[in-house]
Amino acid sequence: MRKYEVIFIVKPMEEEQTNAVIEKFFGIITDNGGTIDKEDRWGKKRLAYEIKDCMDGFYCLFDITAKPACINEVDRVMKITDEILKHMIIRLDEK
């Protein structure tokens, strides 16, 4: 199991819809054997440039512990989810 940092920007929507998108990825991680060590919702922020016709986005950060297969699934689903504007997954090195 490795530690990862996953940050993603959700398209601006109603609060319930935004929470549903975040919970979807929470479920994908836990269903594939990963654990979420920390969830940090930064809230709605103005984007530096327009992405998919949006100028605002809801930022969310997960610190997770998971196997690489779990991360591959999260990355795959984030790429095909229309509500996700951008995402980035970083493996944290052992110290």
Side-chain angles (χ1 to χ4, degrees), residues 3 12 31 45 51 59 65 72-73 78 80:
K3 295 201 176 282
D31 290 347
K45 306 273 184 191
I51 303 172
Y59 284 72
T65 304
N72 291 339
E73 179 65 11
M78 282 189 171
I80 62 174

Side-chain angles (χ1 to χ4, degrees), residues 16-88:
E16 292 175 5
Q17 294 170 318
T18 303
N19 289 337
V21 171
I22 294 170
E23 292 301 318
K24 172 183 174 180
F25 291 104
F26 193 97
I28 290 171
I29 292 166
T30 54
D31 290 347
N32 286 292
T35 58
I36 296 180
D37 304 325
K38 182 177 139 188
E39 176 185 354
D40 194 8
R41 297 182 186 202
W42 294 354
K44 188 175 178 182
K45 306 273 184 191
R46 187 111 175 122
L47 302 175
Y49 54 90
E50 188 174 309
I51 303 172
K52 297 182 183 175
D53 297 327
C54 296
M55 286 303 296
D56 297 317
F58 190 93
Y59 284 72
C60 190
L61 173 73
F62 287 163
D63 286 339
I64 64 174
T65 304
K67 294 182 180 178
C70 175
I71 295 303
N72 291 339
E73 179 65 11
V74 170
D75 187 45
R76 183 187 73 78
V77 174
M78 282 189 171
K79 286 178 182 175
I80 62 174
T81 302
D82 291 334
E83 292 84 15
I84 300 293
L85 297 176
K86 291 277 186 186
H87 76 281
M88 183 170 38

